[in-house]
Short mmCIF file of all heavy atoms in Angstrom, two decimals:
data_model
loop_
_atom_site.label_atom_id
_atom_site.label_comp_id
_atom_site.label_asym_id
_atom_site.label_seq_id
_atom_site.Cartn_x
_atom_site.Cartn_y
_atom_site.Cartn_z
N THR A 268 94.69 153.27 175.16
CA THR A 268 95.57 152.51 175.99
C THR A 268 96.58 153.39 176.64
O THR A 268 96.87 154.52 176.21
CB THR A 268 96.28 151.33 175.27
OG1 THR A 268 97.17 151.87 174.36
CG2 THR A 268 95.29 150.39 174.62
N GLY A 269 97.24 152.81 177.60
CA GLY A 269 98.49 153.49 178.17
C GLY A 269 99.73 153.16 177.32
O GLY A 269 99.67 152.34 176.45
N PRO A 270 100.79 153.89 177.62
CA PRO A 270 102.02 153.70 176.77
C PRO A 270 102.61 152.30 176.84
O PRO A 270 103.24 151.79 175.91
CB PRO A 270 103.05 154.72 177.28
CG PRO A 270 102.55 155.11 178.61
CD PRO A 270 101.01 154.95 178.54
N GLU A 271 102.33 151.56 177.91
CA GLU A 271 102.84 150.15 178.05
C GLU A 271 102.29 149.25 176.99
O GLU A 271 102.85 148.21 176.75
CB GLU A 271 102.59 149.67 179.50
CG GLU A 271 101.10 149.26 179.73
CD GLU A 271 100.20 150.46 180.02
OE1 GLU A 271 100.64 151.62 179.97
OE2 GLU A 271 98.91 150.19 180.28
N ALA A 272 101.16 149.59 176.41
CA ALA A 272 100.54 148.76 175.43
C ALA A 272 101.16 148.89 174.05
O ALA A 272 100.98 148.00 173.12
CB ALA A 272 99.06 148.99 175.34
N MET A 273 101.78 149.97 173.74
CA MET A 273 102.25 150.34 172.40
C MET A 273 103.21 149.33 171.77
O MET A 273 102.98 148.88 170.61
CB MET A 273 102.82 151.73 172.34
CG MET A 273 102.82 152.34 170.94
SD MET A 273 101.26 152.49 170.25
CE MET A 273 101.51 151.91 168.60
N PRO A 274 104.16 148.82 172.53
CA PRO A 274 105.05 147.80 171.88
C PRO A 274 104.21 146.52 171.48
O PRO A 274 104.60 145.83 170.41
CB PRO A 274 106.02 147.36 173.02
CG PRO A 274 106.10 148.64 173.90
CD PRO A 274 104.69 149.15 173.87
N LEU A 275 103.29 146.14 172.28
CA LEU A 275 102.42 144.99 171.94
C LEU A 275 101.52 145.15 170.68
O LEU A 275 101.27 144.38 169.87
CB LEU A 275 101.68 144.49 173.21
CG LEU A 275 102.44 144.10 174.34
CD1 LEU A 275 101.60 143.74 175.46
CD2 LEU A 275 103.32 142.89 173.99
N ILE A 276 101.01 146.47 170.70
CA ILE A 276 100.16 146.84 169.53
C ILE A 276 100.98 146.87 168.25
O ILE A 276 100.52 146.35 167.19
CB ILE A 276 99.55 148.26 169.81
CG1 ILE A 276 98.56 148.23 170.94
CG2 ILE A 276 98.89 148.73 168.47
CD1 ILE A 276 97.94 149.52 171.38
N LYS A 277 102.15 147.39 168.31
CA LYS A 277 103.14 147.33 167.14
C LYS A 277 103.28 145.83 166.68
O LYS A 277 103.26 145.56 165.53
CB LYS A 277 104.48 148.03 167.44
CG LYS A 277 104.39 149.56 167.43
CD LYS A 277 105.77 150.11 167.88
CE LYS A 277 106.92 149.60 167.13
NZ LYS A 277 108.13 150.18 167.63
N MET A 278 103.63 145.00 167.69
CA MET A 278 103.90 143.58 167.35
C MET A 278 102.73 142.93 166.66
O MET A 278 102.82 142.26 165.68
CB MET A 278 104.19 142.85 168.67
CG MET A 278 104.58 141.41 168.47
SD MET A 278 105.13 140.56 169.98
CE MET A 278 103.65 140.57 170.87
N ALA A 279 101.54 143.20 167.21
CA ALA A 279 100.24 142.71 166.58
C ALA A 279 100.06 143.19 165.16
O ALA A 279 99.75 142.43 164.23
CB ALA A 279 99.04 142.91 167.52
N ALA A 280 100.24 144.39 164.96
CA ALA A 280 100.03 145.10 163.67
C ALA A 280 100.96 144.53 162.64
O ALA A 280 100.54 144.18 161.46
CB ALA A 280 100.21 146.63 163.73
N PHE A 281 102.19 144.34 162.93
CA PHE A 281 103.25 143.80 162.02
C PHE A 281 102.99 142.33 161.83
O PHE A 281 103.37 141.77 160.73
CB PHE A 281 104.59 144.19 162.42
CG PHE A 281 104.99 145.61 162.04
CD1 PHE A 281 104.71 146.68 162.89
CD2 PHE A 281 105.57 145.91 160.82
CE1 PHE A 281 105.09 148.02 162.52
CE2 PHE A 281 105.89 147.17 160.40
CZ PHE A 281 105.66 148.21 161.28
N ASP A 282 102.62 141.65 162.89
CA ASP A 282 102.29 140.29 162.73
C ASP A 282 101.22 139.96 161.70
O ASP A 282 101.35 139.09 160.81
CB ASP A 282 101.82 139.63 164.10
CG ASP A 282 101.55 138.22 164.07
OD1 ASP A 282 102.24 137.49 163.29
OD2 ASP A 282 100.68 137.69 164.76
N VAL A 283 100.12 140.79 161.74
CA VAL A 283 99.13 140.64 160.74
C VAL A 283 99.61 141.00 159.30
O VAL A 283 99.32 140.24 158.36
CB VAL A 283 97.90 141.52 161.16
CG1 VAL A 283 96.91 141.68 160.00
CG2 VAL A 283 97.18 141.04 162.41
N SER A 284 100.43 142.14 159.25
CA SER A 284 100.88 142.47 157.96
C SER A 284 101.84 141.41 157.32
O SER A 284 101.84 141.11 156.14
CB SER A 284 101.61 143.85 158.07
OG SER A 284 100.77 144.90 158.36
N ASN A 285 102.60 140.82 158.23
CA ASN A 285 103.50 139.72 157.79
C ASN A 285 102.76 138.54 157.24
O ASN A 285 103.14 137.87 156.28
CB ASN A 285 104.44 139.35 158.89
CG ASN A 285 105.71 140.21 159.00
OD1 ASN A 285 106.32 140.55 158.01
ND2 ASN A 285 105.95 140.70 160.18
N GLN A 286 101.59 138.31 157.94
CA GLN A 286 100.74 137.24 157.51
C GLN A 286 100.22 137.40 156.02
O GLN A 286 100.20 136.48 155.26
CB GLN A 286 99.54 137.09 158.45
CG GLN A 286 99.33 135.60 159.01
CD GLN A 286 98.27 135.63 159.94
OE1 GLN A 286 98.09 136.33 160.93
NE2 GLN A 286 97.32 134.61 159.72
N ILE A 287 99.81 138.66 155.80
CA ILE A 287 99.34 139.03 154.41
C ILE A 287 100.48 138.98 153.49
O ILE A 287 100.36 138.34 152.41
CB ILE A 287 98.77 140.48 154.41
CG1 ILE A 287 97.66 140.68 155.37
CG2 ILE A 287 98.49 140.99 153.00
CD1 ILE A 287 96.39 139.94 154.93
N MET A 288 101.74 139.40 153.83
CA MET A 288 102.86 139.37 152.92
C MET A 288 103.25 137.84 152.55
O MET A 288 103.58 137.58 151.49
CB MET A 288 104.00 140.09 153.53
CG MET A 288 105.20 140.17 152.57
SD MET A 288 106.44 141.43 153.07
CE MET A 288 107.14 140.54 154.57
N THR A 289 103.20 137.04 153.64
CA THR A 289 103.55 135.68 153.42
C THR A 289 102.55 134.99 152.47
O THR A 289 102.89 134.23 151.56
CB THR A 289 103.54 134.94 154.79
OG1 THR A 289 104.48 135.49 155.57
CG2 THR A 289 103.86 133.43 154.55
N ALA A 290 101.23 135.25 152.59
CA ALA A 290 100.20 134.71 151.79
C ALA A 290 100.43 135.24 150.30
O ALA A 290 100.27 134.38 149.40
CB ALA A 290 98.86 135.11 152.24
N LEU A 291 100.74 136.40 150.13
CA LEU A 291 101.01 136.96 148.78
C LEU A 291 102.21 136.35 148.16
O LEU A 291 102.28 136.03 146.97
CB LEU A 291 101.15 138.51 148.84
CG LEU A 291 99.88 139.26 149.23
CD1 LEU A 291 100.29 140.73 149.41
CD2 LEU A 291 98.86 139.20 148.07
N ALA A 292 103.29 136.16 149.00
CA ALA A 292 104.44 135.55 148.51
C ALA A 292 104.23 134.11 148.07
O ALA A 292 104.86 133.65 147.07
CB ALA A 292 105.51 135.57 149.59
N SER A 293 103.24 133.41 148.70
CA SER A 293 102.94 132.06 148.25
C SER A 293 102.38 132.04 146.90
O SER A 293 102.38 131.01 146.18
CB SER A 293 102.05 131.41 149.29
OG SER A 293 100.79 131.95 149.26
N GLU A 294 101.83 133.16 146.45
CA GLU A 294 101.27 133.33 145.14
C GLU A 294 102.23 134.03 144.17
O GLU A 294 101.86 134.50 143.12
CB GLU A 294 99.94 134.10 145.14
CG GLU A 294 98.82 133.42 145.91
CD GLU A 294 98.38 132.10 145.39
OE1 GLU A 294 98.36 132.06 144.09
OE2 GLU A 294 98.07 131.21 146.17
N LYS A 295 103.51 134.07 144.66
CA LYS A 295 104.58 134.65 143.87
C LYS A 295 104.38 136.16 143.58
O LYS A 295 104.77 136.66 142.49
CB LYS A 295 104.79 133.87 142.56
CG LYS A 295 105.22 132.39 142.74
CD LYS A 295 105.40 131.73 141.40
CE LYS A 295 105.91 130.30 141.69
NZ LYS A 295 105.18 129.55 142.58
N LYS A 296 103.80 136.86 144.56
CA LYS A 296 103.68 138.27 144.48
C LYS A 296 104.53 138.93 145.55
O LYS A 296 104.67 138.44 146.66
CB LYS A 296 102.26 138.68 144.76
CG LYS A 296 101.26 138.46 143.60
CD LYS A 296 101.58 139.40 142.47
CE LYS A 296 100.82 139.10 141.30
NZ LYS A 296 101.19 139.94 140.07
N THR A 297 105.26 140.01 145.07
CA THR A 297 106.14 140.72 145.96
C THR A 297 105.35 141.87 146.68
O THR A 297 104.80 142.72 145.98
CB THR A 297 107.35 141.28 145.22
OG1 THR A 297 108.04 140.27 144.50
CG2 THR A 297 108.35 141.97 146.10
N ALA A 298 105.40 141.83 147.92
CA ALA A 298 104.71 142.88 148.76
C ALA A 298 105.80 143.57 149.60
O ALA A 298 106.84 142.98 149.93
CB ALA A 298 103.64 142.23 149.61
N VAL A 299 105.39 144.79 150.02
CA VAL A 299 106.31 145.54 150.78
C VAL A 299 105.62 146.19 151.95
O VAL A 299 104.61 146.78 151.83
CB VAL A 299 106.99 146.70 149.99
CG1 VAL A 299 108.04 147.53 150.86
CG2 VAL A 299 107.71 146.18 148.80
N ILE A 300 106.14 145.91 153.19
CA ILE A 300 105.53 146.58 154.38
C ILE A 300 106.31 147.80 154.59
O ILE A 300 107.62 147.77 154.79
CB ILE A 300 105.56 145.62 155.63
CG1 ILE A 300 104.77 144.37 155.29
CG2 ILE A 300 104.98 146.32 156.80
CD1 ILE A 300 104.91 143.33 156.39
N GLY A 301 105.66 148.92 154.74
CA GLY A 301 106.43 150.18 154.91
C GLY A 301 105.91 151.11 155.94
O GLY A 301 104.85 150.93 156.44
N ASN A 302 106.74 152.03 156.34
CA ASN A 302 106.38 153.03 157.27
C ASN A 302 106.14 154.35 156.61
O ASN A 302 106.83 155.35 156.83
CB ASN A 302 107.46 153.23 158.31
CG ASN A 302 108.80 153.60 157.81
OD1 ASN A 302 109.04 153.42 156.55
ND2 ASN A 302 109.69 154.04 158.68
N TRP A 303 105.10 154.41 155.72
CA TRP A 303 104.79 155.59 154.84
C TRP A 303 103.89 156.49 155.58
O TRP A 303 103.42 157.44 154.99
CB TRP A 303 104.15 155.08 153.54
CG TRP A 303 105.05 154.14 152.80
CD1 TRP A 303 106.20 154.45 152.19
CD2 TRP A 303 104.75 152.81 152.49
NE1 TRP A 303 106.69 153.31 151.58
CE2 TRP A 303 105.86 152.24 151.75
CE3 TRP A 303 103.75 151.91 152.98
CZ2 TRP A 303 105.86 150.96 151.27
CZ3 TRP A 303 103.83 150.57 152.50
CH2 TRP A 303 104.79 150.14 151.77
N VAL A 304 103.55 156.33 156.83
CA VAL A 304 102.53 157.15 157.56
C VAL A 304 103.21 158.00 158.58
O VAL A 304 103.69 157.51 159.53
CB VAL A 304 101.50 156.29 158.14
CG1 VAL A 304 100.39 157.13 158.84
CG2 VAL A 304 100.80 155.44 157.06
N ARG A 305 103.13 159.31 158.40
CA ARG A 305 103.43 160.27 159.48
C ARG A 305 102.22 160.48 160.36
O ARG A 305 101.17 160.82 159.80
CB ARG A 305 104.00 161.60 158.89
CG ARG A 305 104.39 162.64 159.94
CD ARG A 305 105.65 162.37 160.63
NE ARG A 305 106.76 162.26 159.70
CZ ARG A 305 107.50 163.34 159.25
NH1 ARG A 305 107.10 164.61 159.56
NH2 ARG A 305 108.53 163.17 158.44
N ALA A 306 102.40 160.43 161.64
CA ALA A 306 101.25 160.52 162.55
C ALA A 306 101.47 161.51 163.64
O ALA A 306 102.62 161.82 163.97
CB ALA A 306 100.88 159.10 163.03
N ARG A 307 100.41 161.83 164.37
CA ARG A 307 100.48 162.60 165.60
C ARG A 307 99.42 162.05 166.54
O ARG A 307 98.48 161.48 166.11
CB ARG A 307 100.28 164.12 165.27
CG ARG A 307 98.95 164.37 164.49
CD ARG A 307 98.82 165.92 164.24
NE ARG A 307 97.69 166.12 163.38
CZ ARG A 307 96.37 166.20 163.81
NH1 ARG A 307 96.14 166.10 165.10
NH2 ARG A 307 95.50 166.45 162.88
N GLY A 308 99.64 162.26 167.82
CA GLY A 308 98.70 161.83 168.76
C GLY A 308 97.43 162.63 168.80
O GLY A 308 97.43 163.80 168.49
N LYS A 309 96.33 161.87 168.96
CA LYS A 309 95.01 162.59 169.05
C LYS A 309 94.95 163.49 170.17
O LYS A 309 94.20 164.50 170.15
CB LYS A 309 93.89 161.47 169.13
CG LYS A 309 93.61 160.77 167.80
CD LYS A 309 92.49 159.76 167.96
CE LYS A 309 91.14 160.47 168.00
NZ LYS A 309 90.77 160.99 166.70
N GLY A 310 95.62 163.19 171.26
CA GLY A 310 95.65 164.09 172.42
C GLY A 310 94.46 164.03 173.31
O GLY A 310 93.82 162.91 173.35
N VAL A 311 93.99 165.16 173.79
CA VAL A 311 92.82 165.22 174.74
C VAL A 311 91.66 165.95 173.98
O VAL A 311 91.88 167.09 173.56
CB VAL A 311 93.12 165.91 176.02
CG1 VAL A 311 91.91 165.99 176.97
CG2 VAL A 311 94.29 165.24 176.78
#
Side-chain angles (χ1 to χ4, degrees):
T268 66
E271 75 282 0
M273 200 59 222
L275 297 178
I276 292 174
K277 280 174 57 181
M278 182 173 69
F281 278 89
D282 181 32
V283 169
S284 293
N285 277 311
Q286 232 178 307
I287 297 290
M288 186 167 69
T289 300
L291 292 169
S293 69
E294 298 296 324
K295 298 180 173 55
K296 282 293 174 186
T297 303
V299 181
I300 300 172
N302 58 344
W303 301 291
V304 182
R305 177 73 61 83
R307 55 184 171 80
K309 288 181 71 71
V311 179

